[in-house]
Amino acid sequence: MTEFTLIPACGAAIPTDPFIGQHLIDGAWVGSADGAVFERHSPAHGDLVSRSARGGGDDIARAIAAARHAFDAGDWAASPGAARARILLKTADLIDENRERIAVLETLESGKPITQARAEIEGAADLWRYAAALARTLHGDSHNSLGPDMLGMVLKEPVGVVSLITPWNFPFLIISQKLPFALAAGCTAVVKPSEMTPSTTVILGQLLQRAGLADGVVNIVLGYGDPVGALMTGDDRVDMVSFTGSTAVGKQIVRTAAGTLKKVSLELGGKNPQVIFPDADLEAAADAIVFGVYFNAGECCNSGSRIIVHEDVAGTLTEMVVDASRKVPFGDPLDPRTKVGAIISPDHQAKIAAYVRDAETAGAQVALGGKALSIDGLAGQFHAPTIVTGVTPDMAIATEEVFGPVLSVLTFRTMDQAILLANSAPYGLSAGVWSRDVYTCLEFSRRVRAGTVWTNTWMDGFAEMPFGGVKQSGQGRELGRYGIEEFLEVKSVQMRIGDTRPRWVA
Ligand code: NAD
């Protein structure tokens, strides 16, 4: 029996000409002021996929000025919610119409499987529709019981100009967790996708124009964190930064944003535990564990990268997870059978390997994988499904984000121990519990420190359900009603009725 299930190059055609990406500034598609560009090759195939304008100080300054002008002019912010909703709904329809084109580009730049990319684009369109509904139901509050001569109103107003900075692992989905909600609130935006995956955000800009969005409301600048992201964070014409990415960069953003005390919303890393009690449905748990750790090659903030298993079932469950891991198809992301594609870059592949090596040196055992995979006909980098057992809480692999297809297995005996282990990482994004006893699930859900808890499932998500982290996984929430609240300020208006104000000076 082969050790893994591998999908060789399927021979699907890759466009011969690269996608050309430009900045969108005040409604015009433009190259960089200094003419600089950068290229992205497919992490799975090695082919050139895109050539993009590489933004610098002049480009970002013009984009921020355009967003500021569009906000201050007031046309977008003051437009009826129904009008904003129409543009969001039209954008959703255009996303659907262009799903295949977007999905192929997403796969080629990120290395994720084409079936998953298609599902993500479909999910993204749903977020634009959900945000459209929020635009029409947005309202404040009133206080009619402050006394006969007073009326209080709480107005919700857009924050203003927002900088949206996104990572490479779910490029189209994550911008769709931010931008439609910011637009629904009446904000204007400057957007920077990751330098690894710039192109589908460019397509989104094209679709917004086709949907009728006015010039300057959304501006896109392509390029690197330094200087583009940093300037988007420090500029005093920007009112808020919404960032998804690593905890290290998130901390840097907080420091830079402190100079102008802008609002900051952060969606950061995770080291998400699943705790498995002995009464759990082990077959269902094993399948969810395998899904949780290999989905998106483990390059997922919600990766279920560590399991904490009751000692009585640890041996059985680990065997089931090893068996299931061998059956997961790893390989050419353009082949619809593939469930796990390429690793984003050679540097990242090396970082994953170092975590496994260090764990082994510290006394852990590699029960499966632990090495790079070479796949027939593919020049890019792949990593084998990897299971590391005998992990103890002091090892880096137990508490740090590996961001690869690597599962750490820890064990426990009591609920208190399980909670202690689950809460021992600096992160608090998501957590899961497996038990047939609803009281066990409830106790775990209430005691674990995480923004999302899944009971007897993993990584389900809904536009209606808020998402975000505690501790070093971030601050603020996306999705659900909270998704629009992030982009709103609250203003209190207190109105005196008639000339009833008691005089201060007699
Ligand atoms: P990253 O932090 O390296 O980069 C994210 C974005 O920030 C990129 O666009 C990058 O160019 C930009 N950037 C880099 N330096 C910057 C700076 N100094 N100022 C402003 N912007 C800067 O993250 P990544 O490697 O692209 O993504 C992986 C990380 O994202 C993981 O840690 C993952 O957990 C996290 N993530 C979190 C969520 C969530 O919702 N919590 C979702 C997806 C990914």
Side-chain angles (χ1 to χ4, degrees):
M1 174 184 163
T2 52
E3 206 183 357
F4 307 113
T5 304
L6 302 183
I7 307 287
C10 68
I14 295 177
T16 43
D17 294 329
F19 180 89
I20 302 297
Q22 291 190 305
H23 311 303
L24 175 60
I25 300 178
D26 209 8
W29 292 97
V30 291
S32 292
D34 62 3
V37 294
F38 65 100
E39 293 183 337
R40 175 69 178 151
H41 290 76
S42 161
H45 312 89
D47 298 50
L48 177 65
V49 181
S50 59
R51 184 173 296 123
S52 308
R54 179 174 180 156
D58 288 350
D59 309 303
I60 193 65
R62 287 197 303 121
I64 292 173
R68 186 76 259 168
H69 178 76
F71 185 79
D72 293 343
D75 297 349
W76 179 251
S79 63
R84 295 203 292 270
R86 266 195 300 279
I87 297 223
L88 301 186
L89 290 171
K90 178 73 184 155
T91 306
D93 290 345
L94 289 169
I95 292 171
D96 283 342
E97 280 172 31
N98 286 272
R99 184 186 308 155
E100 191 61 16
R101 183 161 78 100
I102 302 170
V104 169
L105 207 44
E106 196 85 311
T107 287
L108 289 176
E109 283 191 336
S110 72
K112 69 176 63 208
I114 185 69
T115 48
Q116 185 190 314
R118 287 180 186 132
E120 279 171 33
I121 311 308
E122 195 178 345
D126 183 49
L127 296 181
W128 284 82
R129 294 196 173 94
Y130 179 73
L134 293 180
R136 297 203 64 166
T137 51
L138 179 59
H139 61 84
D141 215 346
S142 62
H143 290 259
N144 197 28
S145 50
L146 302 176
D149 50 359
M150 287 298 291
L151 180 63
M153 287 186 294
V154 181
L155 305 184
K156 298 281 180 78
E157 298 184 340
V159 166
V161 174
V162 297
S163 284
L164 309 179
I165 303 174
T166 57
W168 47 259
N169 59 346
F170 297 94
F172 201 85
L173 190 65
I174 288 177
I175 190 58
S176 300
Q177 290 184 191
K178 299 181 188 294
L179 187 54
F181 295 85
L183 292 175
C187 294
T188 63
V190 180
V191 177
K192 190 197 94 59
S194 166
E195 58 276 17
M196 308 269 200
T197 52
S199 301
T200 55
T201 301
V202 171
I203 295 184
L204 180 61
Q206 295 167 351
L207 301 184
L208 282 165
Q209 285 188 313
R210 280 176 57 194
L213 190 69
D215 294 349
V217 174
V218 172
N219 305 273
I220 300 169
V221 178
L222 310 176
Y224 288 74
D226 178 16
V228 179
L231 291 170
M232 289 167 73
T233 310
D235 196 296
D236 63 2
R237 293 167 294 177
V238 171
D239 300 295
M240 173 182 173
V241 181
S242 171
F243 170 79
T244 299
S246 61
T247 294
V249 173
K251 288 178 183 174
Q252 181 60 46
I253 282 178
V254 170
R255 281 191 287 270
T256 310
T260 50
L261 268 193
K262 39 176 111 308
K263 184 172 178 180
V264 177
S265 154
L266 300 170
E267 298 287 341
L268 309 176
K271 186 72 190 178
N272 314 297
Q274 297 199 62
V275 173
I276 301 96
F277 284 84
D279 67 335
D281 178 340
L282 293 187
E283 227 174 273
D287 186 77
I289 289 163
V290 167
F291 163 62
V293 69
Y294 303 133
F295 178 72
N296 217 50
E299 296 167 331
C300 183
C301 56
N302 267 331
S303 168
S305 54
R306 56 184 178 133
I307 55 171
I308 301 168
V309 196
H310 194 277
E311 281 172 12
D312 289 354
V313 292
T316 312
L317 184 67
T318 305
E319 268 175 40
M320 292 167 81
V321 172
V322 168
D323 279 352
S325 299
R326 293 186 204 278
K327 296 180 193 146
V328 180
F330 278 56
D332 188 349
L334 287 172
D335 189 315
R337 292 171 301 169
T338 297
K339 285 197 191 296
V340 184
I343 300 298
I344 192 77
S345 68
D347 282 355
H348 190 56
Q349 172 104 321
K351 186 180 150 200
I352 296 168
Y355 269 111
V356 178
R357 224 178 22 247
D358 291 352
E360 258 189 309
T361 309
Q365 297 86 47
V366 176
L368 184 73
K371 56 184 182 190
L373 279 180
S374 107
I375 309 246
D376 283 353
L378 296 174
Q381 59 283 332
F382 296 82
H383 197 280
T386 297
I387 297 171
V388 184
T389 56
V391 173
T392 51
D394 53 314
M395 297 177 188
I397 206 170
T399 54
E400 294 179 17
E401 191 180 42
V402 177
F403 228 54
V406 177
L407 179 70
S408 295
V409 182
L410 296 94
T411 56
F412 75 98
R413 276 224 74 78
T414 65
M415 170 69 89
D416 284 351
Q417 283 172 354
I419 291 288
L420 199 65
L421 283 170
N423 289 340
S424 65
Y427 297 107
L429 191 59
S430 55
V433 57
W434 290 85
S435 166
R436 287 191 170 96
D437 184 339
V438 69
Y439 296 113
T440 303
C441 293
L442 266 177
E443 182 177 353
F444 179 83
S445 303
R446 296 174 76 166
R447 291 178 65 187
V448 73
R449 295 197 62 200
T452 296
V453 182
W454 286 292
T455 76
N456 295 313
T457 185
W458 188 257
M459 234 188 311
D460 294 303
F462 299 91
E464 291 82 354
M465 294 295 285
F467 177 67
V470 300
K471 301 202 284 181
Q472 295 193 31
S473 287
Q475 54 197 38
R477 290 292 178 272
E478 293 186 338
L479 307 181
R481 299 197 61 80
Y482 300 86
I484 192 168
E485 295 293 336
E486 285 290 288
F487 296 103
L488 293 168
E489 291 284 9
V490 170
K491 180 184 279 175
S492 288
V493 178
Q494 294 160 35
M495 299 179 70
R496 188 165 285 282
I497 317 285
D499 183 12
T500 57
R501 182 179 171 274
R503 298 294 187 261
W504 192 49
V505 181

